[in-house]
Amino acid sequence: MKGFAMLKIGEVGWVEKEVPKCGPLDAICRPIALAPCTSDIHTVYEGAVGERTDMILGHEAVGEIMEVGELVKDFKVGDKVLVPAITPDWGSLEAQRGFAQHSGGTLGGWKFSNFKDGVFAERFHVNEADANLALLPEGMDPADATMLSDMVPTGFHGCELAEVTYGEDVLVIGIGPVGLMAVAGAALRGAARILAVGTRPNCVALAKEYGATDIISYKDGPIDEQVMKLTGGKGVDKVIIAGGDNDTFAEAVKVTKPGGIIANINYLGSGDYIKIPREAWGVGMGHIRIVGGLMPAGRMRTERLANMMMNGRLDVSGMLTHKFEGLESLPEALQLMKDKPSDLIKPVITISYED
Ligand code: NDP
Ligand code: ZN
């Protein structure tokens, strides 16, 4: 089979590989919709998870099942399925502790395009199909459905980590597709004021649609100064970081009220340390919590998030700014993710088959 791969750090290209083998609990799928991710860019071009050789990229997909293992109970050949980016081992101790995304070690549930071949191929392998896959709901557009692999669960997880609740003032730093889903999630969880940081015009417009009340450009000076000005020196209850870099944490700490939470969902691609400003952190006693997390996955959560889309609580279609057809458009779509032209939010590829 053909796959689009990270050949080594800084280099991508097509590779030929054997079709993966299906274990008794697993499924083999072919893609019907795919989306490249900013994480693919950190992985390939920053070498953020280290060197990989000829590893097929991609972790955002909707698939059709071509083969199932003999112990799979709830899925059959021909089913169209939502494929989460994270596919944990559900029997692991980490899963039993409530952190399945770290099954087998930190970030261990993130297998696609990290520890094993990803979904940018003619066929891809899904472990523990019953626990990890969800049926594509009748009537859901497969292109929209790719946002359930990673963008929706990650952005919403930022809101869970930040424990956003009614009437709070929330700052969302970064309004690419991940941050946009954090804005939407914060509004759904009852945030009152949502300050959103970003500049791309499409992202700004969509952030407002999803519930942002104030837009801040990081190009207009330090974020903390702008937030303090807008809030009359009070700061915010919660911060969700979905963009920026290692220095963004200092800006976040400076605007967070005592007892507040800073939730990071950004993939920090380079550097060794994150600096926390001592005084703003209450000289170590400010009760300002800093947490960071990889999206949780699993069938039930994926079904629930799909349920929100099916019942009109969330419309992701506005994020899909660049649409392609056919596996062969993967290099172009990934390049867009690297270049981030000003009109880009998210590229998506649909793939149709004769049979
Ligand atoms: P984008 O690159 O599309 O968005 C990044 C956002 O951050 C943009 O709004 C950008 O502004 C803004 N930004 C850039 N520089 C700064 C700065 N210095 N200060 C503040 N904001 C800044 O990324 P995605 O939305 O696709 O992804 C966001 C992050 O989430 C990535 O690092 C990705 O790898 C990670 N991720 C994490 C996952 C998880 O499970 N935790 C899963 C999936 C992704 P502008 O409008 O100017 O471009
Ligand atoms: Zn992703």
Side-chain angles (χ1 to χ4, degrees):
M1 67 170 195
K2 195 168 72 159
F4 191 63
M6 167 174 179
L7 304 178
K8 59 180 186 179
I9 292 175
E11 214 176 294
V12 293
W14 291 101
V15 292
E16 274 295 328
K17 291 205 177 186
E18 301 262 301
V19 172
K21 300 256 174 311
C22 189
L25 294 167
D26 307 342
I28 303 297
C29 299
R30 66 180 177 185
I32 55 180
L34 295 169
C37 180
T38 305
S39 301
D40 293 311
I41 302 303
H42 292 301
T43 301
V44 175
Y45 296 103
E46 291 169 20
V49 294
E51 187 59 281
R52 299 285 188 277
T53 309
D54 295 348
M55 176 186 72
I56 295 174
L57 288 164
H59 52 260
E60 300 182 13
V62 174
E64 180 183 345
I65 295 183
M66 306 303 285
E67 199 183 337
V68 280
E70 68 266 21
L71 297 178
V72 174
K73 294 195 277 287
D74 299 329
F75 295 94
K76 58 182 188 317
V77 170
D79 282 347
K80 303 225 163 96
V81 286
L82 303 168
V83 185
I86 306 302
T87 51
D89 301 317
W90 290 93
S92 65
L93 291 178
E94 291 84 359
Q96 292 180 30
R97 208 192 297 141
F99 293 92
Q101 61 272 60
H102 301 296
S103 60
T106 307
L107 309 183
W110 170 23
K111 296 173 193 286
F112 289 132
S113 65
N114 185 11
F115 297 124
K116 74 170 191 186
D117 282 329
V119 298
F120 290 173
E122 289 172 314
R123 295 286 185 278
F124 60 86
H125 167 268
V126 182
N127 57 298
E128 298 188 28
D130 281 326
N132 281 319
L133 293 174
L135 279 180
L136 174 70
E138 198 69 42
M140 186 183 281
D141 176 0
D144 286 355
T146 55
M147 297 299 99
L148 287 164
S149 293
D150 191 354
M151 300 298 97
V152 181
T154 297
F156 278 28
H157 190 47
C159 303
E160 292 167 321
L161 287 174
E163 299 175 19
V164 173
T165 190
Y166 306 116
E168 288 186 326
D169 292 344
V170 178
L171 171 66
V172 178
I173 303 181
I175 45 169
V178 172
L180 284 169
M181 288 300 94
V183 170
L188 284 161
R189 285 174 72 107
R193 193 170 181 187
I194 304 175
L195 302 97
V197 181
T199 69
R200 279 179 274 157
N202 279 346
C203 296
V204 167
L206 204 50
K208 288 182 184 160
E209 251 177 65
Y210 285 139
T213 52
D214 305 75
I215 301 293
I216 293 170
S217 165
Y218 58 92
K219 294 177 182 165
D220 290 346
I223 295 167
D224 52 283
E225 285 174 19
Q226 298 188 62
V227 171
M228 288 322 242
K229 199 163 164 210
L230 282 166
T231 58
K234 290 199 180 92
V236 294
D237 300 291
K238 305 289 170 62
V239 181
I240 299 166
I241 303 180
D245 55 27
N246 301 3
D247 295 331
T248 307
F249 288 81
E251 297 181 290
V253 170
K254 287 180 188 165
V255 300
T256 306
K257 293 177 191 172
I261 303 175
I262 297 164
N264 179 70
I265 44 174
N266 197 18
Y267 177 169
L268 301 169
S270 56
D272 291 322
Y273 294 98
I274 290 155
K275 283 194 190 145
I276 307 299
R278 181 184 58 83
E279 259 186 65
W281 204 41
V283 292
M285 299 179 283
H287 286 103
I288 296 170
R289 251 193 289 161
I290 303 170
V291 290
L294 178 68
M295 62 163 262
R299 175 165 161 196
M300 189 189 70
R301 183 178 163 88
T302 307
E303 283 176 353
R304 285 184 174 177
L305 295 176
N307 203 14
M308 295 191 75
M309 278 167 60
M310 290 309 284
N311 285 284
R313 301 278 176 211
L314 176 68
D315 180 359
V316 297
S317 59
M319 293 205 295
L320 309 176
T321 49
H322 292 64
K323 294 192 172 177
F324 297 88
E325 169 63 38
L327 206 61
E328 62 283 0
S329 38
L330 273 167
E332 196 183 340
L334 188 74
Q335 187 63 34
L336 269 178
M337 224 40 191
K338 183 169 182 245
D339 298 342
K340 296 265 160 80
S342 66
D343 61 343
L344 177 87
I345 303 183
K346 192 85 181 173
V348 65
I349 298 156
T350 47
I351 299 144
S352 37
Y353 300 93
E354 311 265 289
D355 51 334

